[in-house]
Amino acid sequence: MTELSNDSSKISGVVDVIRTKRDGGRLSDAQIDWTIAAYTRGEIADEQMSALAMAILLRGMDTAEIARWTAAMIASGERLDLSGVPRPTVDKHSTGGVGDKITLPLTPLVAACGAAVPQLSGRGLGHTGGTLDKLESIPGWRAEVTNAQFVSQLRDVGAVICAAGDGLAPADRKLYALRDVTGTVEAIPLIASSIMSKKIAEGTGALVLDVKVGTGAFMSSVADARELARTMVDLGHAHGVRTVALLTDMSTPLGRAVGNAVEVTESVEVLAGGGPADVIELTLALAREMLDAAGLPDADPAAALRDGRAMDTWRAMIAAQGGDPHAPLPVAAEAELIRADRDGYVAAVDARLIGLAAWRLGAGRARKEDPVSAAAGVILHRRPGEAVRAGDPIVELRADDPARIADVAPDIVAAIGPAGAIRLADQPPSAPDLVLERID
Ligand code: URA
């Protein structure tokens, strides 16, 4: 389709595109290129793009359409050039989960093993936390770096976690904000193209995807998660990025800490050789995949955690962005322990319940311009599989404002019981698998 010359013909152009998809047809390459470019320039109205996003959600897109849509979103902005970085580059993307702090220990760990990790991250919206919000609880740390700083830090330290600049896939920036308020986030073609356009534009040579499945994730069924993973892996390969996906369980929070500063503390415990078993397991599983994809299959990430190399890289990475890795982190003014009312075992702790609780305590935001509390969050004193006695604490709520704790505590108390979202049982549950599938 050639670009149309006057306003009324532009409108009939986009209406044709909407009608084609509404009626279950496929969009041509020219229609896709024109739609993304015109929307980025502000020539397609938000209400028209909303209608198209809803038609895509309801009708889907075939593989070729998704590939072209992704390419058009990449072409809407700049593509970073990491050819000046002397190490192989590899990144990780998680589709988002509760207590998912894995990027924090993983990025310096993989860098300590010889790769360079260009990690462009986001802030949290809704009940899953954002990596940048977590790191911003470290005094002095800055999320914004210039492209030149990004490349030089990758060269010198091997690890950068920072905010994506405005120039990267601007079409996605506009479209994601629109999807968020029009009930169209959940379309697999739109999720896959959104994530992959940013990762491909960032210039990484290899990518490992952590696709979460369960109550705390976008995708609650393995079948949907598998389809999303397959779509993203194929998009990566089509753009010359070595891409692998792990499907991982998000029915219960990762680790014991959910929030911002509390997740940094837990990540530093992992870097110091301790920390919760599930966080260590997933960090090492993803590190092995990343090192393999980067062409460093003989690297030993477990040794780099044990001998302090990963911690050294963490400190260098934080300091390079103005942070003080030794500074005390903010502590919440208020805390309340919620206790078990009987003996038994914790059979389940629902990820969504805990994610929403942390969000309501102030750790997350409802609108993207809201501030977050660095100190608020939830600590799980008992995780699934652990024994508990009547009177033992199960969940700790932390907030700056006591009214928030008073608001959340009754819901947590009500959730504890034999049939609740925090389920207590007489027998320990069988241990679920953390890594469910691998797709390459
Ligand atoms: N994360 C993204 O970047 N895009 C989506 O569409 C969903 C999650």
Side-chain angles (χ1 to χ4, degrees), residues 64 69 76 81 91 104 145 153 155 176 191 271 282 298 311 333 339 403 434:
W69 187 273
S76 73
D81 177 8
D91 193 7
L104 274 55
V145 303
Q153 189 173 325
R155 211 184 295 122
Y176 191 40
I191 300 175
L271 288 161
L282 189 54
D298 298 329
M311 179 69 99
R339 298 174 187 277
L434 187 52

Side-chain angles (χ1 to χ4, degrees), residues 2 44 59 68 75 99 105 109 117 183 211 217 221 243 259 264 332 382 440:
T2 50
I44 290 179
R59 294 297 198 164
R68 191 70 183 203
L109 171 60
V117 187
V211 180
S221 84
T243 309
V264 173
R382 293 288 186 283
D440 63 5

Side-chain angles (χ1 to χ4, degrees), residues 108-135:
L109 171 60
V110 171
C113 292
V117 187
Q119 171 69 230
L120 298 179
S121 294
R123 292 192 167 73
L125 194 63
H127 74 283
T128 61
T131 297
L132 301 182
D133 295 324
K134 296 171 198 182
L135 287 168

